[in-house]
Amino acid sequence: MSEHGCGCGCGHDHEHEHEHDQLNVTLTLDDGTELECAVLCIFPVGDKDYIALVPVDNEDEEEGEIFLYQFIEHENEEIELLNIENDDEFEAVSDAFDELMDSEEFDEMFDDEEDEEDGEE
């Protein structure tokens, strides 16, 4: 869990309203429909921050679909999400996200092993 108590793991010093300890964002898609998404994480790449979102209700969506956006939090705590237009930038963000997820999965496996060892004593 992050130090600031947000629970989103982003490492930023800001507050969010929580619904069952999960931060949600509503995206308005190009066709005008709205899609409720859960925030997976907010992470830096270079000098910019990015956000990874996953649809809350995946019934009509492809399994495992993740949305990546540039994330900007303004001084008035208003959040802005920007499309990643550049292919090279998207590739760098996607790679950074994959590395972050791989390291978190590795950490979770390591934590699970420690829990099992603690339980055997």
Side-chain angles (χ1 to χ4, degrees):
M1 184 174 233
S2 64
E3 294 178 0
H4 58 79
C6 165
C8 67
C10 67
H12 288 90
D13 185 25
H14 56 255
E15 300 284 326
H16 297 291
E17 291 184 27
H18 291 82
E19 182 175 309
H20 307 290
D21 290 325
Q22 180 176 338
L23 177 64
N24 288 344
V25 173
T26 302
L27 295 177
T28 302
L29 304 178
D30 291 338
D31 64 0
T33 60
E34 291 186 345
L35 181 64
E36 186 77 15
C37 293
V39 175
L40 292 176
C41 62
I42 299 170
F43 57 99
V45 176
D47 60 349
K48 297 178 183 177
D49 289 328
Y50 296 88
I51 189 169
L53 305 171
V54 62
V56 173
D57 184 12
N58 279 343
E59 291 177 17
D60 297 331
E61 302 297 323
E62 291 181 28
E63 188 172 322
E65 186 172 17
I66 295 172
F67 298 99
L68 299 173
Y69 291 93
Q70 183 181 348
F71 174 87
I72 300 171
E73 184 171 12
H74 298 284
E75 288 182 18
N76 63 0
E77 296 184 15
E78 188 173 313
I79 293 172
E80 182 177 8
L81 303 182
L82 301 174
N83 287 325
I84 303 170
E85 303 289 339
N86 179 299
D87 289 341
D88 291 336
E89 180 183 6
F90 184 82
E91 186 70 29
V93 171
S94 180
D95 288 346
F97 174 73
D98 288 342
E99 287 178 25
L100 180 66
M101 290 296 102
D102 288 345
S103 69
E104 284 187 11
E105 287 175 12
F106 177 79
D107 289 345
E108 285 176 13
M109 285 190 314
F110 188 71
D111 288 344
D112 289 345
E113 288 175 7
E114 284 181 356
D115 291 344
E116 288 174 9
E117 290 173 7
D118 291 342
E120 293 174 5
E121 292 180 18

